[in-house]
Amino acid sequence: MASFALALGTATQNQDGKIIEAFFPAPLLNPSDDLVRALSALTDYDAGNQVVAIAPETCRAISEAFAAAGAKEAAHFANMAQQTTQPLVLVILENDSKPASVAEGFLKLQLISHRLVKPHGVVLEGLFGLLHNIAWTNQGPIDLPELPERQMEARLKGETLTVECVDKFPKMTDYVVPAGVRIADTARVRLGAHVGEGTTVMHEGFINFNAGTEGVSMVEGRISAGVMVGNGSDIGGGASIMGTLSGGGQIVVSIGENSLLGANAGLGFPLGDRCTIESGLYVTAGTKVTMLDADGNAVESVKARDLAGKADLLFRRNSKTGAVECLTNKSAVELNHELHANN
């Protein structure tokens, strides 16, 4: 009965009864065999990866099963769910395979945002094609074909239905706000982002799904899908990191610890620890880089991808020749502790 993950949550359905999103406030990773057996006895779950509809009257027994397993938050939610009129679903994933339903996909995104798994730590293959565009509004998610009718109904009641965005992914903070973070504009952090404790995301910062930060970071630029930024590293204002959905192909671009991507700079290869890319310099994997010795003399020319993961490097552009140069980074990045105080 061993399982990868499970969660009880609410689901939003369209007029055809199809689930378009799901909210899981207390997902569990690697639940005990005893808990899976108890939930199987209370529901229609038998085996495999399943999405099971749950009646509110079943929630008391489900709450007791969670409590017996020591899952206090899940037990509390199940207890509260006895009074709901919203559709309830129990998702049990026996294995970490390609998501086959919207509810499974939303559970996996929330596992990342709850910091239970890291980006690339769960299979999301096919998720982008599985989800479809939804109107995320002040009255909840609405399937796009139903939006005009709902807008008219709201106006006839003297109300305004505000469409905050039209996208496959909602903002993370409508589902979970991780401890110890500051997010200036919550619309710029998608569900499925991993925001490490101590991270600050400023107004122009952006974190895509299946991407994020390991710990204390200042994010003023863009962290694209698939990118992970190490503890203590900063992404300068307007800076961009090439992701797997934006031209990076299958190369997993990342930044190590205590590194700096300068303002309006760009990165297209894995950067090591204690590295700096100067402001305004975009270094892709194929960029020709002139290596300099301790005296500033050119030693050799390599492609940036050959320097992937190497520590203590400073990348700059020669102001006279325009050549991209690399030398030993003599100054470590020191974060402004006052700026990073989130609590």
Side-chain angles (χ1 to χ4, degrees):
M1 298 293 290
S3 293
F4 168 69
L6 66 81
L8 176 70
T10 61
T12 301
Q13 298 175 332
N14 62 13
Q15 292 177 347
D16 297 328
K18 295 181 179 180
I19 294 175
I20 61 173
E21 68 89 43
F23 166 67
F24 301 104
L28 301 176
L29 189 66
N30 300 318
S32 68
D33 292 350
D34 289 343
L35 176 58
V36 176
R37 277 191 288 266
L39 294 176
S40 299
L42 295 170
T43 68
D44 294 330
Y45 176 76
D46 46 23
N49 293 356
Q50 263 187 273
V51 180
V52 182
I54 299 296
E57 52 267 25
T58 312
C59 286
R60 180 175 180 179
I62 291 176
S63 177
E64 292 172 352
F66 279 133
K72 295 181 180 179
E73 292 185 14
H76 178 61
F77 175 72
N79 186 56
M80 293 177 63
Q82 294 180 73
Q83 309 301 323
T84 189
T85 58
Q86 300 300 308
L88 292 169
V89 292
L90 176 68
V91 178
I92 299 182
L93 302 180
E94 185 178 76
N95 55 73
D96 181 20
S97 57
K98 178 180 176 180
S101 67
V102 169
E104 290 180 36
F106 268 81
L107 172 55
K108 289 194 169 188
L109 291 173
Q110 286 167 73
L111 286 172
I112 298 173
S113 290
H114 276 278
R115 300 178 186 153
L116 294 175
V117 296
K118 294 179 180 178
H120 303 288
V122 64
V123 176
L124 294 177
E125 182 185 354
L127 178 64
F128 203 79
L130 181 66
L131 305 182
H132 59 279
N133 283 332
I134 299 296
W136 305 97
T137 79
N138 62 325
Q139 296 183 15
I142 300 175
D143 210 9
L144 284 182
E146 301 168 13
L147 182 60
E149 185 77 12
R150 292 284 296 272
Q151 287 175 318
M152 287 188 288
E153 289 175 357
R155 289 292 182 171
L156 290 172
K157 294 177 183 177
E159 302 172 352
T160 300
L161 180 63
T162 301
V163 179
E164 297 173 351
C165 71
V166 177
D167 196 3
K168 294 174 180 283
F169 298 81
K171 60 184 179 182
M172 181 191 72
T173 53
D174 282 349
Y175 293 77
V176 56
V177 178
V181 304
R182 282 197 296 142
I183 303 175
D185 185 349
T186 57
R188 297 185 65 82
V189 181
R190 272 174 147 184
L191 182 64
H194 182 287
V195 186
E197 186 167 0
T199 289
T200 294
V201 184
M202 294 303 291
H203 297 79
E204 293 303 313
F206 171 78
I207 305 179
N208 211 334
F209 77 98
N210 200 32
T213 61
E214 183 73 26
V216 178
S217 290
M218 175 65 73
V219 182
E220 299 182 88
R222 185 174 73 243
I223 301 177
S224 299
V227 174
M228 195 66 176
V229 175
N231 182 47
S233 291
D234 280 11
I235 312 302
S240 175
I241 308 172
M242 189 179 292
T244 55
L245 296 180
S246 59
Q250 298 303 311
I251 298 175
V252 179
V253 181
S254 61
I255 292 181
E257 297 185 353
N258 300 307
S259 291
L260 172 64
L261 187 59
N264 295 314
L267 177 68
F269 71 99
L271 193 67
D273 298 338
R274 300 177 302 280
C275 291
T276 298
I277 296 183
E278 74 167 12
S279 298
L281 176 61
Y282 204 123
V283 185
T284 65
T287 298
K288 289 292 185 68
V289 179
T290 300
M291 304 299 298
L292 304 181
D293 62 18
D295 298 320
N297 299 315
V299 176
E300 62 178 332
S301 179
V302 300
K303 289 186 177 180
R305 64 167 61 93
D306 297 326
L307 302 173
K310 296 186 182 299
D312 301 302
L313 299 178
L314 168 63
F315 294 84
R316 69 185 188 189
R317 187 177 295 281
N318 187 299
S319 60
K320 294 181 178 180
T321 66
V324 177
E325 299 175 337
C326 179
L327 61 157
T328 301
N329 188 14
K330 296 181 180 179
S331 60
V333 177
E334 293 184 4
L335 300 180
N336 185 323
H337 295 292
E338 185 174 327
L339 286 176
H340 289 77
N342 293 319
N343 296 316

